[in-house]
Amino acid sequence: MVLEAIESQKKQSDGYVVPIGVSARHVHLTQEHVEQLFGKGYQLTKKKELMGGQFASNETVTIVGLKLRAIENVRVLGPVRKQSQVEISATDAIKLGVKAPIRESGKLAGSAPVAVVGPRGVVYLEEGCIIAQRHIHMSPADALAAGVHDGDIVSVKADNERGTIFNHVKIRVDDSFTLEMHIDTDEANAAKIATGQTVSILRN
């Protein structure tokens, strides 16, 4: 898909072309919380490799909001982190009855509380539930070619029948990243766009 995006970029004049990756709801856990949910000494098992050394694990959990509304079979991503985090869509937040803010991953101060239920226990997070800010992962070479820098905020256009423009898209640059814009399922459905399709960073 990335090769197709690069090839199509040669035919585009609007801006730098980026493939889309639609992110479903998921959970990041500390090792302590992994053990609380799955058992003492438990290690996450790898299902699928993701960018930046991350992976989708075989393990899933149930997330529960303050009104005891639950969503089951939420995928855990590895490896373990220093702080547990639940990423959901705005529709999920309504279902759970939580006021999850739109945040960059890892920016959890003052975010929504949520409970995480596993086969061997429960973890209550006083904060940690967010709606992920839309963002683009880039290698330094991609950033140079696109004329952007880590932390920049850009606008992006989906040039399809919906013609959606996404504003407030954050650029994230790292040597381990593969070029891809991440949006959640609500955003993808509203724009009628799917994983593997492309968007263009609008030129200033």
Side-chain angles (χ1 to χ4, degrees), residues 95-147:
K95 180 174 182 178
L96 292 170
V98 300
K99 295 181 179 180
I102 298 172
R103 292 282 181 81
E104 183 181 354
S105 179
K107 308 293 186 183
L108 304 181
S111 57
V114 69
V116 183
V117 182
R120 301 290 294 275
V122 178
V123 170
Y124 177 71
L125 303 177
E126 293 187 0
E127 57 185 18
C129 184
I130 64 171
I131 298 168
Q133 179 184 11
R134 59 181 76 115
H135 56 277
I136 298 174
H137 289 284
M138 286 185 162
S139 68
D142 289 322
L144 181 63

Side-chain angles (χ1 to χ4, degrees), residues 19 73 103 112 128 162 173 176 178 189:
N73 298 316
R103 292 282 181 81
R162 283 286 173 91
V173 180
S176 66
T178 301
N189 289 338

Side-chain angles (χ1 to χ4, degrees), residues 5 9 24 31 45 61 66 68 78 90 99 114 118 121 128 137 140 144 159 167 178-179 182 194-195:
Q9 185 176 320
Q31 181 57 34
T45 59
V61 294
L66 294 177
L68 300 183
K99 295 181 179 180
V114 69
H137 289 284
L144 181 63
D159 194 15
N167 295 316
T178 301
L179 182 64
H182 285 176
T195 292

Side-chain angles (χ1 to χ4, degrees), residues 4-56:
E4 292 176 6
I6 293 172
E7 184 62 30
S8 67
Q9 185 176 320
K10 299 173 184 176
K11 304 172 184 176
Q12 292 258 61
S13 59
D14 288 343
Y16 196 80
V17 174
V18 179
I20 283 284
V22 179
S23 294
R25 64 181 79 98
H26 60 272
V27 175
H28 300 279
L29 297 171
T30 64
Q31 181 57 34
E32 177 185 1
H33 287 163
V34 168
E35 295 189 29
Q36 284 182 240
L37 295 170
F38 296 97
K40 186 174 176 60
Y42 194 89
Q43 300 290 319
L44 295 176
T45 59
K46 194 175 297 185
K47 178 182 177 70
K48 180 183 178 182
E49 291 279 359
L50 303 174
M51 77 170 67
Q54 294 192 90
F55 61 88

Side-chain angles (χ1 to χ4, degrees), residues 157 178 183 192:
K157 182 180 180 182
T178 301
I183 57 176
K192 202 173 182 182

